[in-house]
């Protein structure tokens, strides 16, 4: 069944000029881009997006990183999109990411790890709604 997930190309990956390579890999792996925008988040907007991590020790550092420069945000669609995109991203820590995954190719460390992807249907619904209105998702 077709499913949608939210992808973010993080500031480290955008500033390294690797956004196009990531998009190419996504399309080659069967993901359709339903909506896409490039935006520079404020610290408050990054905090709102990562609100579930509010109590984690890396929350301040993570949200500072996510607001240091522009990101590319996309809604991706394919059968089993949420799990398949998590698989394509690779482990959170690039040291543990399998060869050929996005994080193995483009991440620097556990925080500056190039890409974000929703981890469940509930997260995907919240995250897609955080960035895109219904009109942008037709
Ligand atoms: P994800 O679902 O693989 O993105 O991982 P999480 O939801 O656990 O964490 C969200 C994001 O926080 C990660 O993608 C990293 O950018 C960052 N992060 C996760 N764990 C750590 C950590 O131990 N230290 C730091 N500095 N950042 C982390």
């Amino acid at each position: 069944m077709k499913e949608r997930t939210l992808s973010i190309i993080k500031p480290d990956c955008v500033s390294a000029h690797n956004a196009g390579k990531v998009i190419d890999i996504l399309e080659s792996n069967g993901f359709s881009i339903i909506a896409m925008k490039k935006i520079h988040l404020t610290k408050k907007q990054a905090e709102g997006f990562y609100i579930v991590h509010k109590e984690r020790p890396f929350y301040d550092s993570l949200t500072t990183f996510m607001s240091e420069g522009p990101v590319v945000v996309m809604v991706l669609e394919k059968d089993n999109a949420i799990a398949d995109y998590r698989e394509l991203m690779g482990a959170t820590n690039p040291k543990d990411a399998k060869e050929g995954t996005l994080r193995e190719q483009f991440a620097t460390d556990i925080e500056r790890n190039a890409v974000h992807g929703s981890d469940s249907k509930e997260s995907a619904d919240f995250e897609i709604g955080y960035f895109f209105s219904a009109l942008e998702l037709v």
Side-chain angles (χ1 to χ4, degrees):
M1 208 182 75
K2 289 249 184 270
E3 189 175 62
R4 290 181 178 187
T5 190
L6 187 91
S7 161
I8 304 179
I9 304 176
K10 295 185 178 184
D12 57 328
C13 192
V14 172
S15 67
H17 295 173
N18 285 327
K21 289 179 200 144
V22 170
I23 292 167
D24 190 15
I25 293 168
L26 291 172
E27 293 196 308
S28 305
N29 280 272
F31 292 91
S32 296
I33 300 169
I34 300 299
M36 171 159 67
K37 61 175 89 173
K38 182 179 182 184
I39 49 170
H40 189 155
L41 294 172
T42 64
K43 171 92 166 153
K44 281 212 176 323
Q45 288 169 333
E47 286 169 357
F49 179 73
Y50 278 117
I51 195 72
V52 293
H53 291 319
K54 187 161 84 314
E55 306 303 335
R56 307 279 282 274
F58 54 82
Y59 182 63
D60 184 57
S61 173
L62 170 64
T63 53
T64 297
F65 158 53
M66 289 300 289
S67 55
E68 76 178 23
V71 294
V72 175
V73 190
M74 287 170 280
V75 177
L76 304 177
E77 185 176 85
K78 108 187 245 304
D79 288 345
N80 204 33
I82 296 171
D84 285 2
Y85 178 51
R86 296 283 299 180
E87 180 78 25
L88 185 59
M89 281 201 305
T92 308
N93 189 339
K95 286 189 188 130
D96 304 325
K98 285 189 205 145
E99 204 180 326
T101 60
L102 295 170
R103 283 167 165 167
E104 181 268 327
Q105 294 178 76
F106 302 115
T108 305
D109 59 36
I110 193 167
E111 180 170 278
R112 304 178 73 81
N113 60 2
V115 284
H116 166 85
S118 311
D119 64 3
S120 66
K121 176 82 176 76
E122 294 67 37
S123 306
D125 289 345
F126 165 75
E127 293 177 357
I128 291 170
Y130 196 79
F131 286 105
F132 297 97
S133 70
L135 276 178
E136 294 170 288
L137 296 169
V138 180

